[in-house]
Amino acid sequence: MLAATTVGVVGSPLIITAAIASDLVMRRRRLPTVRVALFAIQYAINDSVEILVAPVLWLLAGFGARLDHLTSIRRHERLQAWSVGVMARRAERLLGIRLDIEQGAVDALTPGPVIVLCRHINIVDASLPALIYQRLGYRIRGVIMAELLADPGFDLIYRRTGSVFIPRDNGPEALALMRHLHDGIDRSTAVVIFPEGRLFRPELLTRFLAKLDNTNPERGRRLAGLRHVLPPRPGGVIALLDSIPHADVVTIAHAGLDQYGSFADLARAAPLDDPITVTAWRTPATDIPIDTDDRVAWLDEQWVRVDQWIHDHTTDPGPRARVETRRRAR
């Protein structure tokens, strides 16, 4: 990452010149390739800053002996907040990614501690709950797929602030890790999980619903009408409910990224014309069932509600139609 950042920064004049030429040849007057190149360079810079600062924070923590102490965690959280804030500003100015949070949703977000459930359609929305809660002054802990440990910034900083990285195909280990998330949780903490477990894709929805029909017909019937989200995986959510039983649950839904099936689609459309619309609702801890089967049914109800809200706020004709229309317009 340090080498890639050096190449990106030193070679930025050549990279940007090539990106401008590409956009001009393709008649993309709003220069989406340039915008994405600048965003990628900024990401690399942020990651490199985290890599270089992490050893300093390790030294300040008594050569790593006190990394789990509150003072050390707060230092890492400030670095994490700085990085997220910089990338959010670049995403808005370069890619046109803006949030439009419904008024009622703002009231549902606080107070903490809260377990936050969010849909997952695009790599961009992975940071959406953290960005929202960071602006509210909250500390963020995430349940993150272990594949992201390949990013050294995630590995060095997010792990030290209390997030857990779970293996995708090792359920027992993942559940064991999540049961330890209760340490240090207070009124200014939000624990974020994406219950679908992976990015939404229409072919995955068809496959997962068919599987549910065979393995759990009752859930299959409850979730048969899903159109915009995958069936939620209840194991991780139930583990968090057991670990932090006093936390309310905030469910976040958003619309505006559905037409971009990949980051490449989004990159070609940059800057986006329309904001990402966000809503949220809150379930008090006292209203969440205790019985496991009832909890699964409750989670399914939340996801059916997410799906319906997305359907009501999505008018795009298809995942690629709008991108192609924008490309022709340019």
Side-chain angles (χ1 to χ4, degrees):
M1 179 57 74
L2 294 175
T5 303
T6 301
V7 171
V9 172
V10 174
S12 58
L14 180 60
I15 293 171
I16 300 307
T17 300
I20 292 173
S22 174
D23 283 334
L24 292 177
V25 168
M26 299 299 294
R27 298 181 179 179
R28 296 187 288 236
R29 57 185 177 82
R30 296 207 287 182
L31 305 178
T33 308
V34 176
R35 293 171 179 272
V36 172
L38 289 171
F39 185 79
I41 292 171
Q42 181 67 67
Y43 184 91
I45 291 172
N46 279 36
D47 227 27
S48 293
V49 169
E50 292 169 353
I51 292 168
L52 295 173
V53 173
V56 178
L57 299 182
W58 181 82
L59 289 172
L60 291 173
F63 295 91
R66 298 189 299 274
L67 279 174
D68 59 346
H69 287 201
L70 185 60
T71 300
S72 175
I73 292 172
R74 294 293 180 266
R75 293 188 187 115
H76 286 82
E77 286 173 343
R78 287 193 289 272
L79 178 58
Q80 178 182 322
W82 167 82
S83 183
V84 172
V86 169
M87 293 312 301
R89 291 191 293 273
R90 297 297 180 269
E92 180 173 349
R93 294 170 184 171
L94 294 171
L95 306 182
I97 296 175
R98 311 176 309 283
L99 301 183
D100 180 12
I101 304 176
E102 293 183 343
Q103 182 57 47
V106 174
D107 298 332
L109 295 170
T110 59
V114 288
I115 296 170
V116 181
L117 315 180
C118 187
R119 70 173 301 213
H120 203 11
I121 182 68
N122 188 291
I123 190 173
V124 173
D125 68 16
S127 299
L128 189 148
L131 176 59
I132 291 173
Y133 273 95
Q134 181 174 298
R135 289 175 176 175
L136 295 170
Y138 274 57
R139 293 189 292 275
I140 313 301
R141 294 189 179 186
V143 179
I144 306 169
M145 286 302 169
E147 290 89 338
L148 285 176
L149 287 173
D151 183 320
F154 272 95
D155 191 7
L156 291 168
I157 305 302
Y158 282 71
R159 192 197 294 271
R160 296 181 185 178
T161 57
S163 293
V164 297
F165 292 82
I166 60 174
R168 188 184 298 276
D169 299 319
N170 189 337
E173 181 183 347
L175 295 178
L177 287 168
M178 280 186 277
R179 292 190 184 103
H180 294 288
L181 273 170
H182 61 82
D183 296 335
I185 297 294
D186 58 24
R187 290 179 58 83
S188 60
T189 306
V191 181
V192 179
I193 186 171
F194 297 87
E196 293 161 284
R198 60 190 65 209
L199 297 176
F200 172 83
R201 294 292 180 267
E203 62 274 14
L204 288 179
L205 175 60
T206 302
R207 187 197 312 168
F208 290 168
L209 288 178
K211 184 177 180 180
L212 269 182
D213 284 337
N214 292 326
T215 60
N216 192 330
E218 183 179 354
R219 286 198 75 203
R221 287 190 294 272
R222 282 200 302 261
L223 300 173
L226 294 182
R227 297 150 292 186
H228 307 284
V229 294
L230 299 177
R233 296 184 174 189
V237 176
I238 291 174
L240 288 182
L241 293 175
D242 288 338
S243 180
I244 321 171
H246 59 291
D248 292 351
V249 173
V250 173
T251 304
I252 292 179
H254 59 82
L257 292 171
D258 302 77
Q259 60 266 38
Y260 310 113
S262 67
F263 186 77
D265 287 339
L266 187 147
R268 285 192 291 269
L272 307 187
D273 289 325
D274 302 319
I276 301 169
T277 305
V278 181
T279 194
W281 57 88
R282 189 183 191 92
T283 306
T286 53
D287 291 348
I288 299 172
I290 300 299
D291 178 76
T292 298
D293 289 340
D294 291 341
R295 281 180 168 179
V296 173
W298 168 82
L299 177 60
D300 289 344
E301 291 171 4
Q302 306 309 303
W303 236 239
V304 169
R305 182 176 174 181
V306 168
D307 186 80
Q308 184 59 51
W309 183 90
I310 296 166
H311 190 74
D312 293 341
H313 289 77
T314 302
T315 59
D316 190 81
R320 299 192 181 274
R322 186 172 180 179
V323 175
E324 294 302 321
T325 300
R326 292 279 299 278
R327 290 176 66 185
R328 288 195 297 269
R330 292 171 184 174

